[in-house]
Amino acid sequence: NILILLINKRRSIMKKMFILITIMMFVIGCSKSIPTNNISVKEEFHESGKLKSKIEYMGDVKHGNFFVYHENGQLKGEGYFKNDKLDGKLFGYNENGIKEIQMFHKDGIEVGTWIKYEEDVRYELQIVDGKPSDMSILNDKGEIWLNDGWVEL
């Protein structure tokens, strides 16, 4: 008898949980996502009238993608702001649109591997806790500069 009572009680609890989960899924499925932030885009222009920068804001705070342009119209830099702080990958380009630098930030702090590109060489700088840690110089042949000479990787 006790076993039958426990089985019936368990079935009752399972039914209640099933009904509750079904109701929750219905409510969540029928709800609409209402935007809680107002993203606006602010643009600045060079004296020539060409676009200088385009930055997304949430209220008065930089929050979202940003783009900065050279006077000739080529992209100079791009990245992301999160609550007025640089966050994620950032790229810098020369006046011909060629990538010169790649950087990383997390909540405004410099992190990760920063890369500076030059003609045949790239410099890789490791950043830990906002401070430079290690630097490597690599050429386009896959060699690294060690002790005054190129060494194959």
Side-chain angles (χ1 to χ4, degrees):
N1 281 340
I2 293 176
L3 184 58
I4 294 173
L5 243 127
L6 287 174
I7 291 172
N8 286 337
K9 185 167 181 116
R10 187 172 179 193
R11 284 183 186 163
S12 174
I13 291 171
M14 297 287 280
K15 282 182 185 177
K16 287 178 184 175
M17 287 179 61
F18 177 77
I19 292 169
L20 181 62
I21 290 171
T22 304
I23 291 170
M24 287 175 55
M25 289 176 64
F26 178 77
V27 169
I28 291 169
C30 292
S31 65
K32 284 189 176 180
S33 174
I34 299 169
T36 56
N37 55 7
N38 293 326
I39 300 290
S40 62
V41 177
K42 294 186 181 177
E43 295 179 338
E44 289 185 22
F45 296 87
H46 290 283
E47 286 183 20
S48 65
K50 289 187 177 182
L51 186 61
K52 182 177 183 178
S53 66
K54 185 172 17 175
I55 304 171
E56 292 181 349
Y57 283 79
M58 184 170 44
D60 291 333
V61 176
K62 293 175 189 165
H63 191 86
N65 296 308
F66 75 87
F67 302 92
V68 181
Y69 299 91
H70 288 283
E71 179 74 40
N72 69 3
Q74 287 283 350
L75 186 61
K76 183 177 187 177
E78 63 181 317
Y80 189 83
F81 279 106
K82 179 178 168 187
N83 296 320
D84 245 357
K85 296 178 182 175
L86 293 172
D87 196 71
K89 277 186 186 181
L90 293 97
F91 298 98
Y93 305 91
N94 67 19
E95 290 183 341
N96 297 318
I98 297 170
K99 183 168 46 172
E100 286 188 320
I101 193 161
Q102 176 178 310
M103 306 169 278
F104 295 88
H105 286 78
K106 178 72 178 156
D107 296 322
I109 297 171
E110 301 165 345
V111 296
T113 303
W114 287 32
I115 302 172
K116 169 80 169 112
Y117 299 93
E118 291 189 0
E119 285 183 36
D120 301 356
V121 177
R122 77 175 189 261
Y123 301 89
E124 294 186 2
L125 180 63
Q126 302 296 321
I127 308 285
V128 178
D129 296 325
K131 296 178 182 158
S133 170
D134 257 342
M135 188 170 107
S136 303
I137 305 171
L138 298 107
N139 66 17
D140 58 358
K141 297 175 189 164
E143 300 169 323
I144 188 168
W145 182 264
L146 292 175
N147 302 323
D148 299 324
W150 291 106
V151 177
E152 200 170 313
L153 291 177

